[in-house]
Coordinates of all heavy atoms in Angstrom, one line a residue:
E30 N 28.3 -4.6 7.3 CA 29.3 -5.1 8.2 C 30.5 -4.2 8.3 O 31.2 -4.2 9.3 CB 29.8 -6.5 7.7 CG 28.7 -7.6 7.7 CD 29.1 -8.9 7.1 OE1 30.1 -9.4 7.6 OE2 28.5 -9.4 6.2
Y31 N 30.8 -3.5 7.2 CA 32.0 -2.6 7.2 C 31.8 -1.5 8.3 O 32.7 -1.2 9.0 CB 32.1 -2.0 5.8 CG 33.1 -0.8 5.9 CD1 34.5 -1.0 5.8 CD2 32.6 0.5 6.0 CE1 35.3 0.1 5.9 CE2 33.5 1.6 6.1 CZ 34.8 1.4 6.0 OH 35.7 2.4 6.1
L32 N 30.6 -1.0 8.4 CA 30.3 0.0 9.4 C 30.6 -0.4 10.8 O 31.0 0.4 11.6 CB 28.9 0.6 9.2 CG 28.5 1.2 7.9 CD1 27.1 1.7 7.8 CD2 29.5 2.4 7.6
E33 N 30.3 -1.7 11.1 CA 30.6 -2.2 12.4 C 32.1 -2.3 12.6 O 32.6 -2.0 13.7 CB 29.9 -3.5 12.7 CG 30.2 -4.1 14.1 CD 29.4 -5.3 14.4 OE1 28.5 -5.7 13.6 OE2 29.6 -5.8 15.5
S34 N 32.8 -2.7 11.6 CA 34.2 -2.8 11.7 C 34.9 -1.5 11.9 O 35.8 -1.3 12.7 CB 34.8 -3.5 10.4 OG 34.2 -4.7 10.2
R35 N 34.4 -0.5 11.2 CA 35.1 0.8 11.2 C 34.6 1.7 12.4 O 35.4 2.4 13.0 CB 34.7 1.6 9.9 CG 35.1 3.0 9.8 CD 36.6 3.3 9.9 NE 36.9 4.7 9.8 CZ 36.8 5.6 10.8 NH1 36.4 5.2 12.0 NH2 37.0 6.9 10.6
F36 N 33.3 1.5 12.8 CA 32.7 2.3 13.9 C 32.3 1.4 15.0 O 33.1 1.0 15.8 CB 31.6 3.2 13.4 CG 32.0 4.2 12.3 CD1 31.6 4.0 11.0 CD2 32.8 5.3 12.6 CE1 31.9 4.9 10.0 CE2 33.1 6.2 11.6 CZ 32.7 6.0 10.3
D37 N 31.0 1.0 14.9 CA 30.5 0.1 16.0 C 29.1 -0.5 15.4 O 28.7 -0.2 14.3 CB 30.3 0.8 17.3 CG 29.4 2.1 17.1 OD1 28.4 2.1 16.5 OD2 29.9 3.2 17.7
R38 N 28.5 -1.3 16.3 CA 27.3 -2.0 15.8 C 26.1 -1.0 15.6 O 25.3 -1.3 14.7 CB 26.9 -3.0 16.9 CG 25.6 -3.8 16.5 CD 25.4 -5.0 17.4 NE 26.4 -6.0 17.1 CZ 26.3 -7.2 17.7 NH1 25.4 -7.5 18.5 NH2 27.3 -8.1 17.4
R39 N 26.1 0.1 16.3 CA 25.0 1.1 16.1 C 25.0 1.6 14.6 O 23.9 1.7 14.0 CB 25.2 2.3 17.0 CG 25.1 1.9 18.5 CD 25.4 3.1 19.3 NE 26.8 3.6 19.0 CZ 27.2 4.8 19.3 NH1 26.4 5.7 19.9 NH2 28.4 5.2 18.9
L40 N 26.2 1.8 14.1 CA 26.3 2.3 12.7 C 25.9 1.2 11.7 O 25.2 1.5 10.7 CB 27.7 2.8 12.4 CG 28.0 4.3 12.6 CD1 27.2 5.2 11.7 CD2 27.8 4.7 14.1
R41 N 26.2 0.0 12.0 CA 25.8 -1.1 11.2 C 24.3 -1.2 11.1 O 23.7 -1.3 10.1 CB 26.4 -2.4 11.7 CG 26.0 -3.6 10.9 CD 26.6 -4.9 11.4 NE 26.3 -6.1 10.6 CZ 26.8 -7.3 10.8 NH1 27.7 -7.5 11.8 NH2 26.4 -8.3 10.1
M42 N 23.6 -1.1 12.3 CA 22.2 -1.1 12.3 C 21.5 0.1 11.6 O 20.5 0.0 10.9 CB 21.7 -1.2 13.8 CG 22.0 -2.5 14.5 SD 21.2 -3.9 13.5 CE 19.5 -3.5 13.6
F43 N 22.1 1.2 11.8 CA 21.6 2.4 11.2 C 21.7 2.3 9.7 O 20.7 2.6 9.0 CB 22.5 3.6 11.6 CG 22.1 4.9 10.9 CD1 21.0 5.7 11.3 CD2 22.8 5.4 9.8 CE1 20.7 6.8 10.7 CE2 22.5 6.6 9.2 CZ 21.4 7.3 9.6
G44 N 22.8 1.8 9.1 CA 22.9 1.6 7.7 C 21.9 0.6 7.2 O 21.3 0.8 6.1
S45 N 21.8 -0.5 7.9 CA 20.8 -1.6 7.5 C 19.4 -1.1 7.5 O 18.6 -1.4 6.6 CB 21.0 -2.8 8.4 OG 22.3 -3.3 8.4
V46 N 19.0 -0.4 8.5 CA 17.6 0.2 8.6 C 17.4 1.1 7.4 O 16.3 1.1 6.8 CB 17.4 0.8 10.0 CG1 16.1 1.6 9.9 CG2 17.4 -0.2 11.1
M47 N 18.3 2.0 7.2 CA 18.2 3.0 6.1 C 18.1 2.3 4.7 O 17.2 2.6 3.9 CB 19.4 3.9 6.0 CG 19.4 4.9 7.2 SD 18.0 6.0 7.3 CE 17.1 5.2 8.6
F48 N 18.9 1.2 4.6 CA 18.8 0.4 3.3 C 17.4 -0.2 3.2 O 16.8 -0.2 2.1 CB 19.9 -0.6 3.3 CG 19.7 -1.7 2.2 CD1 20.1 -1.3 0.9 CD2 19.2 -2.9 2.4 CE1 20.0 -2.3 -0.1 CE2 19.0 -3.8 1.4 CZ 19.4 -3.5 0.1
A49 N 16.9 -0.8 4.3 CA 15.6 -1.5 4.2 C 14.5 -0.5 3.9 O 13.6 -0.7 3.1 CB 15.3 -2.2 5.5
I50 N 14.5 0.7 4.5 CA 13.5 1.7 4.2 C 13.6 2.2 2.8 O 12.6 2.3 2.1 CB 13.7 3.0 5.2 CG1 13.4 2.6 6.6 CG2 12.9 4.1 4.7 CD1 13.8 3.6 7.6
M51 N 14.8 2.4 2.3 CA 14.9 2.8 0.9 C 14.4 1.8 -0.1 O 13.7 2.1 -1.0 CB 16.4 3.1 0.6 CG 16.7 3.6 -0.8 SD 16.9 2.3 -2.1 CE 18.4 1.6 -1.6
N52 N 14.7 0.5 0.2 CA 14.3 -0.5 -0.7 C 12.8 -0.7 -0.7 O 12.1 -0.9 -1.8 CB 14.9 -1.9 -0.3 CG 16.0 -2.3 -1.2 OD1 16.5 -1.5 -2.1 ND2 16.4 -3.5 -1.1
I53 N 12.2 -0.6 0.4 CA 10.7 -0.7 0.5 C 10.0 0.4 -0.2 O 8.9 0.3 -0.7 CB 10.3 -0.9 2.0 CG1 10.8 -2.2 2.6 CG2 8.8 -0.7 2.2 CD1 10.6 -2.4 4.0
G54 N 10.7 1.6 -0.2 CA 10.1 2.7 -0.9 C 10.4 2.7 -2.4 O 9.6 3.2 -3.2
Y55 N 11.5 2.0 -2.8 CA 11.9 2.0 -4.2 C 11.2 0.9 -5.0 O 10.7 1.1 -6.1 CB 13.4 1.8 -4.2 CG 14.0 1.5 -5.6 CD1 14.0 2.4 -6.6 CD2 14.5 0.2 -5.9 CE1 14.6 2.2 -7.8 CE2 15.1 -0.1 -7.1 CZ 15.1 0.9 -8.1 OH 15.7 0.6 -9.3
L56 N 11.0 -0.3 -4.3 CA 10.5 -1.5 -5.1 C 9.0 -1.3 -5.6 O 8.7 -1.7 -6.7 CB 10.5 -2.7 -4.2 CG 11.9 -3.3 -3.9 CD1 11.8 -4.5 -3.0 CD2 12.6 -3.6 -5.3
P57 N 8.1 -0.6 -4.9 CA 6.8 -0.4 -5.5 C 6.9 0.4 -6.8 O 6.1 0.2 -7.7 CB 6.0 0.4 -4.4 CG 6.7 0.0 -3.1 CD 8.2 -0.1 -3.5
I58 N 7.8 1.4 -6.9 CA 8.0 2.1 -8.1 C 8.4 1.2 -9.2 O 8.0 1.3 -10.4 CB 9.0 3.3 -7.9 CG1 8.5 4.2 -6.7 CG2 9.1 4.1 -9.2 CD1 9.5 5.3 -6.4
V59 N 9.4 0.3 -8.9 CA 9.9 -0.6 -9.9 C 8.8 -1.5 -10.4 O 8.7 -1.8 -11.6 CB 11.0 -1.5 -9.2 CG1 11.4 -2.7 -10.1 CG2 12.2 -0.7 -8.9
I60 N 7.9 -1.9 -9.6 CA 6.7 -2.8 -10.0 C 5.7 -2.0 -10.8 O 5.2 -2.5 -11.8 CB 6.1 -3.4 -8.8 CG1 7.1 -4.2 -8.0 CG2 4.9 -4.3 -9.2 CD1 6.5 -4.7 -6.6
Y61 N 5.5 -0.8 -10.4 CA 4.4 0.0 -10.9 C 4.7 0.4 -12.4 O 3.8 0.4 -13.3 CB 4.2 1.3 -10.1 CG 3.3 2.3 -10.7 CD1 1.9 2.1 -10.8 CD2 3.8 3.6 -11.1 CE1 1.1 3.1 -11.4 CE2 3.0 4.5 -11.7 CZ 1.7 4.3 -11.8 OH 0.8 5.2 -12.3
V62 N 5.9 0.8 -12.7 CA 6.3 1.3 -14.0 C 6.0 0.3 -15.2 O 5.3 0.7 -16.1 CB 7.8 1.7 -14.1 CG1 8.2 2.0 -15.5 CG2 8.0 2.9 -13.2
P63 N 6.4 -0.9 -15.1 CA 6.0 -1.8 -16.3 C 4.6 -2.1 -16.3 O 4.0 -2.3 -17.4 CB 6.9 -3.1 -16.0 CG 7.1 -3.1 -14.5 CD 7.3 -1.6 -14.2
A64 N 3.9 -2.1 -15.2 CA 2.5 -2.3 -15.1 C 1.7 -1.2 -15.9 O 0.7 -1.4 -16.5 CB 1.9 -2.5 -13.7
L65 N 2.3 0.0 -15.7 CA 1.7 1.2 -16.4 C 1.9 1.0 -17.9 O 0.9 1.3 -18.7 CB 2.5 2.4 -16.0 CG 1.9 3.8 -16.2 CD1 0.6 3.9 -15.4 CD2 2.9 4.9 -15.8
A66 N 3.0 0.5 -18.4 CA 3.2 0.2 -19.8 C 2.3 -0.9 -20.3 O 1.7 -0.7 -21.4 CB 4.7 -0.2 -20.1
F67 N 2.1 -1.9 -19.5 CA 1.2 -3.0 -19.9 C -0.2 -2.5 -20.0 O -1.0 -2.9 -20.9 CB 1.4 -4.1 -18.9 CG 0.8 -5.4 -19.3 CD1 1.4 -6.2 -20.3 CD2 -0.4 -5.9 -18.8 CE1 0.9 -7.4 -20.7 CE2 -1.0 -7.1 -19.2 CZ -0.3 -7.9 -20.2
N68 N -0.6 -1.6 -19.1 CA -1.9 -1.1 -19.1 C -2.2 -0.3 -20.4 O -3.3 -0.3 -21.0 CB -2.1 -0.2 -17.9 CG -3.4 0.6 -18.0 OD1 -3.4 1.8 -18.3 ND2 -4.5 0.0 -17.7
Q69 N -1.1 0.5 -20.9 CA -1.3 1.3 -22.1 C -1.5 0.4 -23.3 O -2.3 0.8 -24.2 CB 0.0 2.2 -22.2 CG -0.1 3.0 -23.5 CD -1.0 4.2 -23.3 OE1 -1.2 4.8 -22.3 NE2 -1.6 4.6 -24.4
V70 N -0.8 -0.7 -23.4 CA -0.9 -1.5 -24.6 C -2.0 -2.6 -24.6 O -2.4 -3.1 -25.7 CB 0.4 -2.1 -25.0 CG1 1.5 -1.1 -25.1 CG2 0.8 -3.2 -23.9
T71 N -2.5 -2.9 -23.4 CA -3.5 -4.0 -23.3 C -4.8 -3.6 -22.7 O -5.8 -4.2 -22.9 CB -3.0 -5.2 -22.6 OG1 -2.7 -4.8 -21.2 CG2 -1.7 -5.7 -23.2
G72 N -4.8 -2.5 -21.9 CA -5.9 -2.1 -21.1 C -6.1 -2.9 -19.8 O -7.0 -2.6 -19.0
V73 N -5.2 -3.8 -19.5 CA -5.3 -4.6 -18.3 C -4.9 -3.7 -17.1 O -3.9 -3.0 -17.2 CB -4.3 -5.8 -18.3 CG1 -4.3 -6.5 -17.0 CG2 -4.7 -6.8 -19.4
A74 N -5.7 -3.7 -16.0 CA -5.5 -2.8 -14.9 C -4.1 -3.0 -14.3 O -3.6 -4.1 -14.2 CB -6.6 -3.0 -13.9

């Protein structure tokens, strides 16, 4: 919302889209890492 206040709505949408892309790329890594640890100690896939 700050970006729209300081610039315009285009910057707000740009920031939101970039955030969504980053999160969607980041979250699978967050999920994968503990599953890797669990696999090492239990053998569960």
